[in-house]
Amino acid sequence: MKKIIAFDSDDTIVLSKMPATPRMAGLLAELLKHYDVCIISGTDFEGVIYPNTVRQIEQVPGVDLSRLHIMPTCGTRYYRFQDGEWRLQYQEDLTEEQKARIFEAIETSAKELDMWVDNPAGEIIEDRLSQVTYSALGQKATPEDKYAWAEANKEKRKLLNDAVKARIPEFEIRTAGTTSLDVTKPGIDKAYGMKKLMEATGVTKEEILFFGDKLEEGGNDFPVKNMGIDCIAVERWEDTAYALEGINAVS
Ligand SMILES: [Mg+2]
């Protein structure tokens, strides 16, 4: 019996960095009547998860937010809705020195592989406090540009992953999102987030069902599958919506 349904964000419940559609927000609000729901992502809360997903769910009339668990930056932060507001439960940040080493390793590797664009849409490397993220075309690139880039750079993304790893082997490097690479302290991945969620709720891994679009080895959802949580692989948010219509219908 599943108690928590957990979701990756980008390409699992939303189109990369875009607001959740009313259809998806409605399905998640309906799901909250039957299950605790967790959203775990490499992105941050204030800039991405809140405006793009949480706010859309909040707008569904009658929604109960007390069963929603939000885990930004791979679960290094954890938010719950308490006394009418979103409250940070814990946070685990990188030091300034660690972040400087990571910035340097990413920039050098990306330039070496000709993966450093001249006119990015926003920052290419972003400090997310507990995580540093490289976005090939910049944080604010359009979904169309990002999908085109991802299609053209499948092999190169692996090379970048290896090059960064060789420079800073003490950190964890993962291909993420559509054009991104996430760097965190070792052991900080979505499996870590799931363990924190289990600690906080008392739920076992057998009681969690996880949806993700990057469940293959090397993908940022793989650690969840690897720890033995039941997973459903999707390619786009519409696949998840279709599955949720089924789950909601029988719950
Ligand atoms: Mg994803």
Side-chain angles (χ1 to χ4, degrees):
M1 179 70 187
K2 299 302 179 190
K3 289 187 177 163
I4 300 185
I5 316 281
F7 300 88
D8 160 56
S9 183
D10 263 19
D11 293 323
T12 298
I13 54 176
V14 298
L15 187 65
S16 185
K17 303 270 177 67
M18 298 296 284
T21 60
R23 179 184 171 203
M24 179 53 79
L27 286 165
L28 291 170
E30 178 66 24
L31 194 65
L32 281 165
K33 291 180 187 168
H34 312 289
Y35 300 96
D36 278 45
V37 170
C38 173
I39 297 170
I40 182 164
S41 166
T43 57
D44 72 341
F45 184 74
E46 295 81 2
V48 182
I49 301 184
Y50 181 77
N52 288 354
T53 308
V54 176
R55 195 158 65 202
Q56 321 307 317
I57 298 171
E58 283 177 350
Q59 284 165 2
V60 179
V63 65
D64 176 9
L65 299 168
S66 68
R67 299 179 79 178
L68 190 53
H69 307 254
I70 305 295
M71 298 194 129
T73 46
C74 286
T76 55
R77 287 170 177 245
Y78 176 41
Y79 288 85
R80 297 294 305 272
F81 193 75
Q82 292 164 332
D83 304 319
E85 61 181 357
W86 288 99
R87 293 208 170 149
L88 184 63
Q89 310 292 307
Y90 67 76
Q91 62 184 76
E92 290 175 8
D93 297 339
L94 292 162
T95 66
E96 292 304 317
E97 193 203 337
Q98 289 173 321
K99 285 188 281 195
R101 274 180 59 72
I102 297 168
F103 267 69
E104 165 78 25
I106 295 175
E107 186 170 341
T108 308
S109 304
K111 284 182 173 164
E112 211 173 70
L113 289 162
D114 201 19
M115 294 175 82
W116 189 265
V117 298
D118 290 330
N119 298 300
E123 296 294 313
I124 292 178
I125 304 181
E126 189 190 15
D127 173 3
R128 292 180 179 171
L129 304 172
S130 54
Q131 176 178 313
V132 173
T133 295
Y134 158 90
S135 300
L137 304 174
Q139 292 295 324
K140 299 188 166 64
T142 64
E144 298 75 38
D145 287 348
K146 290 200 285 187
Y147 287 109
W149 184 91
E151 198 54 39
N153 287 277
K154 270 183 192 155
E155 295 309 313
K156 264 190 156 182
R157 289 181 81 181
K158 289 179 197 138
L159 295 178
L160 180 65
N161 200 313
D162 293 346
V164 175
K165 183 77 193 165
R167 285 195 165 87
I168 45 171
E170 70 273 35
F171 292 100
E172 194 103 30
I173 325 290
R174 272 179 306 274
T175 301
T178 315
T179 65
S180 302
L181 180 92
D182 291 338
V183 181
T184 60
K185 279 187 247 183
I188 304 285
D189 54 24
K190 287 182 188 171
Y192 167 87
M194 288 297 105
K195 282 175 203 139
K196 289 292 220 177
L197 181 68
M198 286 156 57
E199 271 171 38
T201 59
V203 161
T204 66
K205 67 180 176 187
E206 290 76 19
E207 293 169 324
I208 302 175
L209 177 66
F210 179 86
F211 283 78
D213 72 298
K214 293 268 188 308
L215 286 161
E216 73 286 359
E217 202 164 350
N220 68 343
D221 298 321
F222 176 73
V224 178
K225 183 178 173 183
N226 200 36
M227 74 183 278
I229 284 180
D230 286 333
C231 292
I232 295 183
V234 298
E235 285 183 8
R236 53 190 79 78
W237 74 267
E238 290 94 334
D239 299 337
T240 306
Y242 183 69
L244 291 185
E245 277 165 0
I247 293 173
N248 283 335
V250 299
S251 295

